[in-house]
Amino acid sequence: ERLSARALWSRGHALSGVLRTREAADCYQSAAGMYRQLGEPLLAARVSIGWVNALMYLGEYPQALEIGEKARRALQRAGDHGACARLDMNLGNLHFRVEQPREALSKYDRALRAARRLDDPVMITIIQFNRANALTNLGRLDRAEALYRDVREAALAGKETRTVGFVDYSLAYLQLLRGNYGQAYRSFDDARIIFEQLGDIHYLTLTHADLAELFIEMNAFRRAKEAARRARTLAERHDIRFEAARSALLQAIASLGLGELAQADAFLEDARRAFRGEGNATSGSLGAVYRAELEVRRGQVDQAADRLTRAAEGFAQGGHRLREATATLRLAAVELDRGQADRAGDALTRARKALRRARSPWLLARADHLAGCLALGRNDAPSAVRHLRRAVDRIEAIRGRIGIDEFRISFTEDKAPVYADLVHALLLRGGRRSVADAFEVVERSRSRALVDLLAGRLGEAKASADERTEGLLTRLEKLRGEVSWLSGFDPGGEDRRGRRNEARLERWAPAVRAREAEMADVVQRIHTRDAALGAITCGETATLHDVRADLEPESTLVEYYVSRHGAIAFVVDGSGARVVNLPVGEADIVRDLTTLRFHLEKWGYGDQYVRARGESLRTSLDHVLARLRERVWDPLEVRTDRVVVVPHGPLHSLPFPALADAAGGHLVDRHTFSVLPSASARRYLAPRAGASPGTAPARVLAVGVGDASIPHVDREVAQVRSGFRRGRLLRGARATRARFRAEAPHADVIHLATHGVFREDDPHFSALRLADGWMSLYEFYGMKLRADLVCVSACQSGRSWTGGGDELVGLARGFLHAGAASLVVSLWPVQDESTALLMKTFYGDLKEGLPIETALRNAMRATRLEWPHPYHWAPFVLMGRGGPLHAAEPSAGKQRRQSARKIG
């Protein structure tokens, strides 16, 4: 029987190692019972060390605690200090598991004293690691990090690779709490690989859950939801109950971020039941915070405030300062929104107190923002400016450490109100510098990730890829090929009319989405390993002085800004700068632009549809174009011929040249237009070093992939190519992705005529069709162009997603990052025949030295003579620096003026 007990004890250890926790607990229980029957209480107590651990993972906390305390008394009476220390460590883990870090630290401290008396360095290392975990949960991050570093050094000296992996993982979580998101992502990714190699399911589950938490912090909610799903699947499969509950909560938070309220409700209920079954009140309170958020979204504000108050009190009692601050700050925001300024102020005071020892950059920024809003409510603009400036500085300190473009984009999604409130406070405060200061804040708020990308591009030195990076690049290429095939796009998957296999696309749509998710993950891993691809350099934003100094004579820069405080425009020209308050709000702009897009796209339904409804469609279109002009343009009183527009929010989709007056005239007759994503981006779109206009013949790359729906593509690209003495023509089957990547870096002008797709669900996968597949934004990130101009005469090539930070995510972003100084792209689906005419005129003027913006204006006016509807002549927009090509093709014996031609 003694041998049977020993065998059961050993079997319990083995089963615990492979996460067969219920079977392990049963073995420990049987072994302990047999030892007691044999009159061996000390051995029964030693068996209980593993039994407590198994019960903890099963969520049977009261039983585990009772068995543990009883076993400890027996071990202490017997003087078995080593076993006491191991059991104290497991009891500490139990308290840590149920979110009682103070009690956990007390047990770890007791175990540490025993381990030091025994001079057991291995045990000391493990206990110190656990102590650091508890200190992290208590918000004592500096002390926790110092302990982690000591443990890592000791583990390296003892060649404890597994412990090193655990410490690196824990340091990643600590960096997440500190807002060092880029560093945290890299560490989590390294830890994930280690745990996969070790087959450590428990820590692999933890890593997926923590990645979900990181993605939530970055507002990358789709990525968060997928990571949480993976964590929950692993946790439920292996009966890791706490992580299953936590993952359900993370799924709920991600669903809230996506606006999927019904799913969020269901996940919150799953998490609530799971935490209640675990007896974990603290994590249940965290779920209550997000239940309150759901109630706010549903208008149940009083109920949400009560719930947040109770949650904050629970966190305070447990010593969870960061969570207390999170709940209390949300409570302050709720009270402020419902007009209870005094209550909001009290909640903010409590939150600041909680943050004194548990400093979190983002929570501190939120506290400063709320303080600024309270000051604005008191009409105390100077105090509001002081608090809001501090909030913005904290936000930018965080984003400067992120280092991954996709994260920088999503991170700003919920930060826009902070910048908008600061702009409002500065203009409200007034003073000599109010316009300049407000302009600078607007520039700091918009397209910052793109500016960072462009700044990084100029100074990048392509690192030689190491073995792991090469493996990731190979995997990425394989995934791209699979996505193309599964999407129904390959030579064997198309019929003779060039249509892709829609049946295959429908059948394999989930597989396509799964591979796209993996592609996004691989791209981020590449970015963390390659500084050039990561583009971690932070670009400087432009001041009003910078903009005026860089502005050409007789030019005006118009920079729009749309927020909850209304719509304004900065008008900058040779005479100075002014702010114009526009007589329109964001909702009205969105409504007008939705109507505009509806009428424009109706015109693309075909000749029969247009003939039947053309007059009414045109009348409605002219009406909305005139209304938009009255609201967003006429109040500016722009006098110069050349205009540089920096749109904001919904205005990125507005075709400014098409804006009409009551008499039917259009702005294209009065101005040339170019567009910038931000004024700061202009300095990073400079011409090639040492180049001056017309110094050498331009080299063109004309690429065309047509089908039955766009039959004029071959003629269009042939005309473009024939207008230049040097260059290459790639069309049909020759226009492959590999050939494009090989030729594009050597071209001064790149013209692409093909199908384009803008992906609303994930703009990073917006793509252009080539002969052997689709090229997405991610692929353009990896290219290096020298082109003065990239012209994409594809449908919707200029459409972009704009988030809270006004980041443009679409094909244009990829070309600008790759090095294009200027882009000509389309805002809506284009008509093949009218586009061919427009491009013929455009390149005819361009090759003779006219500025790009002037050539585009002339092309629009010439096309309008034959195709009067704006659908045909106004889809294209010039994005970038503009000006003439720095490699030109002058016609023999013919000098052209730099101004627009007069067209009848």
Side-chain angles (χ1 to χ4, degrees):
E1 194 167 339
R2 186 181 299 276
L3 287 174
S4 296
R6 181 63 197 179
L8 285 168
W9 190 1
S10 298
R11 180 172 171 77
H13 287 326
L15 290 166
S16 289
V18 294
L19 293 183
R20 292 166 61 179
T21 315
R22 170 52 64 195
E23 296 171 74
D26 292 342
C27 286
Y28 287 134
Q29 182 177 12
S30 298
M34 292 174 73
Y35 278 129
R36 280 193 295 270
Q37 290 177 0
L38 290 168
E40 298 279 5
L42 182 59
L43 288 175
R46 287 177 178 170
V47 170
S48 297
I49 298 172
W51 190 9
V52 166
N53 203 49
L55 291 172
M56 176 191 72
Y57 282 118
L58 291 170
E60 298 176 8
Y61 302 122
Q63 184 184 1
L65 190 61
E66 180 184 351
I67 291 168
E69 292 294 350
K70 183 177 180 180
R72 192 185 186 283
R73 289 192 292 271
L75 293 171
Q76 193 171 26
R77 284 194 300 270
D80 193 338
H81 301 298
C84 273
R86 290 194 298 276
L87 184 54
D88 279 333
M89 190 162 55
N90 283 357
L91 289 171
N93 291 342
L94 192 154
H95 285 292
F96 184 80
R97 187 82 170 194
V98 294
E99 307 276 1
Q100 296 173 347
R102 286 174 177 166
E103 291 81 355
L105 191 60
S106 174
K107 296 293 189 294
Y108 293 145
D109 287 345
R110 191 165 65 184
L112 182 63
R113 289 192 292 270
R116 282 174 171 164
R117 285 196 299 271
L118 295 167
D119 194 23
D120 187 335
V122 174
M123 186 179 294
I124 289 171
T125 298
I126 297 171
I127 295 168
Q128 291 286 47
F129 172 71
N130 289 332
R131 291 184 71 245
N133 290 338
L135 290 167
T136 298
N137 269 28
L138 288 167
R140 294 159 64 179
L141 304 186
D142 291 339
R143 179 59 185 144
E145 182 170 10
L147 265 183
Y148 282 135
R149 301 293 181 195
D150 290 344
V151 170
R152 193 179 196 281
E153 187 176 340
L156 281 173
K159 298 182 178 179
E160 294 284 340
T161 306
R162 192 182 189 89
T163 303
V164 172
F166 295 158
V167 173
D168 286 345
Y169 158 77
S170 298
L171 282 169
Y173 191 76
L174 189 146
Q175 296 303 328
L176 168 60
L177 294 178
R178 281 186 162 153
N180 296 329
Y181 299 117
Q183 186 175 341
Y185 180 83
R186 288 188 286 273
S187 298
F188 279 139
D189 190 52
D190 288 342
R192 177 177 60 179
I193 293 169
I194 290 172
F195 297 141
E196 284 174 349
Q197 293 171 344
L198 292 172
D200 192 318
I201 299 298
H202 179 223
Y203 268 86
L204 182 60
T205 304
L206 288 174
T207 305
H208 281 304
D210 288 337
L211 278 168
E213 189 170 335
L214 185 149
F215 292 145
I216 286 168
E217 290 287 317
M218 293 289 91
N219 299 314
F221 296 115
R222 292 193 187 281
R223 302 290 307 281
K225 194 173 179 182
E226 173 60 20
R229 184 197 63 77
R230 292 177 185 176
R232 188 175 178 184
T233 299
L234 285 171
E236 290 177 346
R237 183 183 301 158
H238 297 282
D239 206 19
I240 309 173
R241 298 184 182 181
F242 174 79
E243 291 307 325
R246 179 188 173 210
S247 299
L249 178 57
L250 291 167
Q251 286 178 301
I253 299 170
S255 297
L256 272 172
L258 292 168
E260 300 167 351
L261 302 190
Q263 276 202 353
D265 199 346
F267 287 136
L268 281 169
E269 182 58 26
D270 290 346
R272 186 192 67 80
R273 285 197 300 265
F275 283 130
R276 186 172 63 180
E278 286 250 309
N280 190 328
T282 303
S283 292
S285 296
L286 187 59
V289 171
Y290 292 99
R291 172 64 66 182
E293 181 63 31
L294 183 63
E295 290 166 345
V296 169
R297 303 274 187 97
R298 290 174 168 171
Q300 301 166 326
V301 184
D302 293 344
Q303 191 172 331
D306 291 342
R307 195 181 298 275
L308 287 165
T309 301
R310 293 194 301 272
E313 290 170 352
F315 292 140
Q317 291 171 5
H320 299 277
R321 295 187 181 91
L322 288 174
R323 291 181 177 178
E324 179 191 356
T326 298
T328 313
L329 285 172
R330 189 66 189 102
L331 174 62
V334 169
E335 297 289 10
L336 187 61
D337 285 344
R338 63 177 183 167
Q340 300 292 330
D342 290 341
R343 291 183 182 179
D346 291 343
L348 179 58
T349 300
R350 294 196 298 274
R352 287 195 182 281
K353 183 178 179 181
L355 286 168
R356 284 174 190 165
R357 292 187 63 186
R359 299 182 67 80
S360 164
W362 171 225
L363 293 180
L364 288 167
R366 288 174 61 186
D368 289 330
H369 181 212
L370 283 166
C373 291
L374 285 166
L376 280 174
R378 300 191 303 269
N379 291 319
D380 184 355
S383 293
V385 168
R386 186 173 64 254
H387 288 298
L388 293 167
R389 278 196 186 281
R390 192 160 54 214
V392 166
D393 289 342
R394 292 189 198 278
I395 289 169
E396 299 201 347
I398 299 170
R399 66 172 298 282
R401 300 194 298 267
I402 293 174
I404 299 173
D405 181 50
E406 185 178 342
F407 287 173
R408 285 182 175 181
I409 294 168
S410 59
F411 174 73
T412 57
E413 180 65 18
D414 61 346
K415 314 302 185 296
V418 185
Y419 291 88
D421 290 340
L422 178 53
V423 170
H424 179 66
L426 286 165
L427 294 175
L428 191 67
R429 185 191 65 180
R432 185 174 59 86
R433 285 196 49 83
S434 62
V435 174
D437 289 346
F439 181 87
E440 188 173 351
V441 173
V442 167
E443 276 297 299
R444 291 172 72 182
S445 75
R446 65 191 308 158
S447 295
R448 288 298 303 281
L450 176 58
V451 170
D452 292 346
L453 277 176
L454 300 178
R457 184 199 76 215
L458 293 184
E460 72 186 6
K462 177 71 175 174
S464 57
D466 58 23
E467 185 177 348
R468 184 180 291 181
T469 303
E470 284 289 353
L472 291 170
L473 289 169
T474 301
R475 178 61 182 157
L476 186 61
E477 188 64 24
K478 185 174 185 294
L479 287 167
R480 284 171 177 155
E482 290 176 357
V483 166
S484 275
W485 190 87
L486 292 169
S487 298
F489 186 85
D490 71 322
E494 296 182 353
D495 64 23
R496 286 173 292 181
R497 291 166 295 180
R499 297 174 182 169
R500 69 182 179 183
N501 189 328
E502 298 292 344
R504 187 200 297 162
L505 173 61
E506 184 177 356
R507 183 168 63 252
W508 293 108
V512 170
R513 297 294 179 267
R515 281 161 176 79
E516 287 179 345
E518 187 179 351
M519 282 174 66
D521 181 67
V522 171
V523 167
Q524 285 184 351
R525 292 168 71 182
I526 292 170
H527 284 187
T528 64
R529 305 192 64 80
D530 188 315
L533 290 175
I536 61 175
T537 304
C538 289
E540 296 180 0
T541 53
T543 65
L544 195 54
H545 175 77
D546 296 331
V547 171
R548 292 193 64 197
D550 193 42
L551 199 60
E552 287 84 354
E554 301 303 317
S555 297
T556 300
L557 180 136
V558 176
E559 178 149 351
Y560 290 94
Y561 191 62
V562 183
S563 74
R564 62 180 179 175
H565 299 289
I568 62 174
F570 296 86
V571 182
V572 186
D573 56 26
S575 64
R578 53 197 168 88
V579 174
V580 177
N581 291 301
L582 300 174
V584 65
E586 183 175 15
D588 292 326
I589 294 173
V590 170
R591 191 179 303 114
D592 282 348
L593 287 171
T594 301
T595 304
L596 175 64
R597 188 165 192 88
F598 170 82
H599 288 298
L600 285 170
E601 293 189 349
K602 286 285 187 182
W603 208 265
Y605 282 10
D607 291 342
Q608 185 176 353
Y609 183 91
V610 169
R611 279 195 298 270
R613 302 167 179 83
E615 186 175 345
S616 62
L617 287 175
R618 182 61 191 268
T619 300
S620 300
L621 177 67
D622 288 345
H623 179 71
V624 72
L625 286 171
R627 186 167 65 239
L628 280 163
R629 177 169 171 165
E630 291 171 1
R631 289 176 165 182
V632 305
W633 185 259
D634 288 345
L636 309 182
E637 298 182 350
V638 175
R639 305 300 182 195
T640 61
D641 178 78
R642 188 172 190 274
V643 181
V644 180
V645 178
V646 184
H648 188 251
L651 291 172
H652 283 287
S653 63
L654 177 60
F656 285 90
L659 294 181
D661 58 27
H666 297 276
L667 288 185
V668 72
D669 296 316
R670 298 182 58 184
H671 307 285
T672 64
F673 287 93
S674 60
V675 172
L676 289 171
S678 73
S680 302
R682 183 179 171 87
R683 71 177 67 183
Y684 300 113
L685 299 172
R688 299 196 306 277
S692 59
T695 54
R699 180 182 179 89
V700 68
L701 174 63
V703 182
V705 180
D707 59 25
S709 65
I710 46 174
H712 297 280
V713 160
D714 283 354
R715 186 182 71 187
E716 178 183 328
V717 294
Q719 285 177 341
V720 172
R721 172 63 189 91
S722 66
F724 293 83
R725 282 181 282 167
R726 298 195 307 153
R728 293 293 300 275
L729 174 62
L730 300 177
R731 57 183 173 183
R734 297 181 65 249
T736 63
R737 290 160 51 237
R739 286 190 177 182
F740 177 76
R741 285 197 295 261
E743 293 289 342
H746 309 295
D748 303 299
V749 175
I750 299 172
H751 182 87
L752 290 135
T754 181
H755 281 297
V757 61
F758 175 72
R759 285 279 297 275
E760 295 275 4
D761 60 325
D762 189 343
H764 286 87
F765 289 102
S766 298
L768 291 176
R769 173 184 166 181
L770 293 183
D772 59 342
W774 295 84
M775 284 193 72
S776 71
L777 171 61
Y778 283 131
E779 292 193 71
F780 294 118
Y781 273 6
M783 297 184 68
K784 192 170 184 180
L785 305 178
R786 70 175 197 182
D788 287 332
L789 171 67
V790 174
C791 182
V792 189
S793 65
C795 293
Q796 307 185 86
S797 56
R799 284 194 66 191
S800 296
W801 170 88
T802 53
D806 206 50
E807 291 288 350
L808 300 184
V809 185
L811 291 169
R813 185 184 192 85
F815 283 115
L816 291 174
H817 175 237
S822 297
L823 300 173
V824 171
V825 289
S826 65
L827 295 176
W828 57 80
V830 297
Q831 201 266 0
D832 191 42
E833 192 172 356
S834 57
T835 297
L837 172 61
L838 186 146
M839 289 299 165
K840 179 181 178 181
T841 308
F842 173 64
Y843 280 102
D845 281 0
L846 192 64
K847 70 179 183 178
E848 301 206 24
L850 286 180
I852 301 170
E853 58 272 27
T854 303
L856 183 59
R857 176 190 183 184
N858 290 344
M860 288 181 180
R861 298 174 72 190
T863 305
R864 187 176 59 178
L865 294 175
E866 188 169 337
W867 304 83
H869 195 282
Y871 171 80
H872 293 283
W873 60 264
F876 291 98
V877 60
L878 167 62
M879 182 181 295
R881 195 169 184 89
L885 299 181
H886 286 79
E889 289 283 331
S891 296
K894 189 176 181 182
Q895 298 296 321
R896 296 295 302 272
R897 294 182 298 114
Q898 299 297 308
S899 59
R901 293 177 301 169
K902 291 190 176 181
I903 297 178

